[in-house]
Amino acid sequence: MAAEHSDVPTKHKAAVFDVPGHISTKVLELKTPSPGSGDVLVKLTHSGVCHSDYGIMTNSPTYPFPCPKEQIGGHEGVGIVVQLGPDTGSSGVKVGDRVGIKWISYFCGVCQPCRDGAPTHCEKGKASGYYYPGTFQQYAITSARCLTQIPEGVDSADAAPMLCAGLTVYSALKKSRAGKGDWMVVMGAGGGLGHLACQIASNGMGMRVVGIDAVNKQDVVKKSGAEVFLSLKDDKTITEEVIKATGGGARGVLVCAAANQAYAQALGFLKHGGSLVAIGIPEVLEPIRESVPVHIIAKQLSIVGSSVGTQEEAIEVLDLVAKGIVKVHYRLELMENLTQVFEEMHSGRLAGRIVLDLQA
Ligand SMILES: [Zn+2]
Ligand SMILES: [Zn+2]
C-alpha cells in the first residue's frame, strides 16, 4: 500500500543543466512524480553542490556519457519523506523521516561490487544527478534502501555536505592506514572536501594534519584543525616543507584537489609504508607523474583510489557532526543562483561548501 502525504503539490521547482557542456542552469517547474516500487518521494529542503555536478554539467572527459539536456544535478540532498511507493515496507522508512539522498539512488544488490559490499559502485547503479534526477529540486525520488537517516540535532544544511564530501573523505581517511598520532597531508585542504578531511582527520581520528591550498584559504584550513598550513609551491620546495613539518614524511596523503600537479607532488611527501589516497578527479586524464616503480617498492608505498563510501560510513560520519566533532563551513544560496555558484567553483575561489536552500 502506498502511504500518502496530503500536501504534495502537482508541480515543483528544479534547477536543470539547460546547456550541457557549458556552465549554465535554469530553474523550471516540473511535474512532481509519484514513487514507484521500492522508491520514496522526498521533499528536499537542502542540497550541497559538489565538484562532480560541475563535471557532469560541463561534459568533463572523466564521465563516460555526455550530460543529458535538462538533467537535474545534485547528490547531497536532505529532506522529509512525504510518500512511500509500493514494496518499501521492509526498508523501515516512514513518512516524516528526515533523510539524505546520496550519489547512488538505486543499486541491484547482486552484481560483483554489490556482493563485495560496495553498492556505490553497482554495475547497474543509478546516480542522483547523472542520468537520474538529482537533488537540485524541491521533490526527488530515490530507492528507500539507499537513504540515510539524518540524526536528531543535526541541522539539515550541515548534514547535506556530509552525504558526498564528508562521506568521501571519511572513507578515504579510513583507507589510508593512518591512525592516531600519524601525519596526514590534505591537498586542497580549504575546499568542500578538504576542510572536512582536515576536521575528521584531526578532531575525529586524532591525526596530525598538514593542509595545502591557495593562500586565501589559510583561515578555513587552520580553523579546520590543520596544525600546519602550506601554500601551493613548486614541487621541490613543497616537498622539502612537508618533510620538515612532518619530521621525515607523512603516513598518508589525501589528494582532494582535482589537479594532476597535486598527484605528482603527493608521492614525495610519504614516508616508508605511506599511502596516497586518490579522490580528486583531474579533468585532464594523465598518469600520476613520479610514480616510479622502484621508489614505490623501496618505500613500500600504496596508491589507493576511493569514491564516496558505504552506508555504514555515512551513518558514522553524520554521527561526527551530531557529536560536534565536524562543523561544515558553508554558504547558503538559492537555486536561482546556481550558475554563479558554478562559476565561482570553476575559478577556485570557493572556500568550504555551497548549500542550496531549496524551499526558499
Ligand atoms: Zn559529490
Ligand atoms: Zn549491483
Side-chain angles (χ1 to χ4, degrees):
M1 261 288 278
E4 299 263 336
H5 202 263
S6 55
D7 52 348
V8 176
T10 55
K11 288 187 168 184
H12 68 271
K13 273 201 306 182
V16 304
F17 302 144
D18 58 333
V19 193
H22 296 87
I23 301 178
S24 183
T25 67
K26 187 164 81 177
V27 175
L28 298 179
E29 208 174 40
L30 300 178
K31 192 170 174 290
T32 307
S34 294
S37 175
D39 290 343
V40 302
L41 180 67
V42 180
K43 179 183 184 181
L44 293 168
T45 58
H46 297 86
S47 175
V49 183
C50 181
H51 193 264
S52 301
D53 297 312
Y54 174 86
I56 291 164
M57 172 184 65
T58 55
N59 285 335
S60 156
T62 57
Y63 289 89
F65 307 107
C67 177
K69 191 165 162 61
E70 300 196 345
Q71 171 71 49
I72 304 164
H75 53 268
E76 289 185 340
V78 176
I80 307 288
V81 175
V82 290
Q83 229 175 18
L84 303 175
D87 313 315
T88 48
S90 62
S91 69
V93 176
K94 302 180 301 299
V95 167
D97 284 357
R98 194 164 59 110
V99 296
I101 295 180
K102 306 190 295 299
W103 172 245
I104 283 294
S105 263
Y106 167 83
F107 62 92
C108 76
V110 295
C111 71
Q112 186 257 324
C114 280
R115 294 199 308 273
D116 267 353
T120 299
H121 306 285
C122 173
E123 289 165 5
K124 293 179 180 160
K126 291 179 186 167
S128 303
Y130 184 48
Y131 285 82
Y132 195 80
T135 58
F136 297 158
Q137 56 176 338
Q138 294 176 317
Y139 286 84
I141 298 268
T142 193
S143 164
R145 58 189 183 150
C146 291
L147 290 175
T148 300
Q149 300 279 342
I150 307 298
E152 220 174 291
V154 174
D155 184 76
S156 295
D158 280 319
M162 302 312 290
L163 298 167
C164 178
L167 174 57
T168 297
V169 295
Y170 177 63
S171 184
L173 286 165
K174 284 175 68 174
K175 290 183 180 99
S176 73
R177 305 188 297 185
K180 210 165 191 279
D182 284 333
W183 279 102
M184 174 63 58
V185 179
V186 179
M187 305 188 75
L193 277 79
H195 88 288
L196 294 174
C198 291
Q199 293 183 42
I200 295 168
S202 59
N203 307 337
M205 296 169 125
M207 298 177 197
R208 302 179 72 184
V209 174
V210 175
I212 301 177
D213 212 322
V215 78
N216 68 319
K217 297 184 189 168
Q218 180 167 359
D219 275 1
V220 173
V221 176
K222 294 290 273 185
K223 274 188 202 138
S224 298
E227 203 171 312
V228 177
F229 172 83
L230 298 175
S231 61
L232 303 172
K233 293 185 188 76
D234 66 81
D235 297 359
K236 186 170 178 289
T237 314
I238 193 91
T239 304
E240 284 170 2
E241 288 183 357
V242 171
I243 300 295
K244 186 165 174 244
T246 55
R251 173 65 70 186
V253 182
L254 207 63
V255 184
C256 301
N260 283 308
Q261 199 193 354
Y263 281 96
Q265 294 178 339
L267 280 174
F269 300 163
L270 292 170
K271 67 176 180 183
H272 184 268
S275 302
L276 181 166
V277 189
I279 52 176
I281 305 174
E283 309 240 315
V284 178
L285 306 182
E286 65 172 56
I288 298 176
R289 296 196 300 273
E290 314 303 333
S291 60
V292 181
V294 69
H295 297 159
I296 296 170
I297 294 163
K299 286 172 83 179
Q300 300 201 58
L301 304 179
S302 301
I303 300 177
V304 187
S306 188
S307 92
V308 214
T310 66
Q311 185 69 291
E312 194 59 27
E313 287 166 342
I315 293 166
E316 289 170 12
V317 82
L318 281 163
D319 188 53
L320 294 178
V321 184
K323 291 199 166 82
I325 290 167
V326 174
K327 180 81 187 84
V328 184
H329 179 88
Y330 68 87
R331 190 177 93 212
L332 277 181
E333 276 290 353
L334 301 175
M335 248 193 254
E336 285 75 6
N337 298 335
L338 190 54
T339 304
Q340 184 195 317
V341 165
F342 281 124
E343 278 163 359
E344 270 186 81
M345 186 183 275
H346 179 57
S347 74
R349 292 196 303 271
L350 278 185
R353 205 68 159 172
I354 294 291
V355 175
L356 300 179
D357 180 353
L358 299 168
Q359 296 294 330

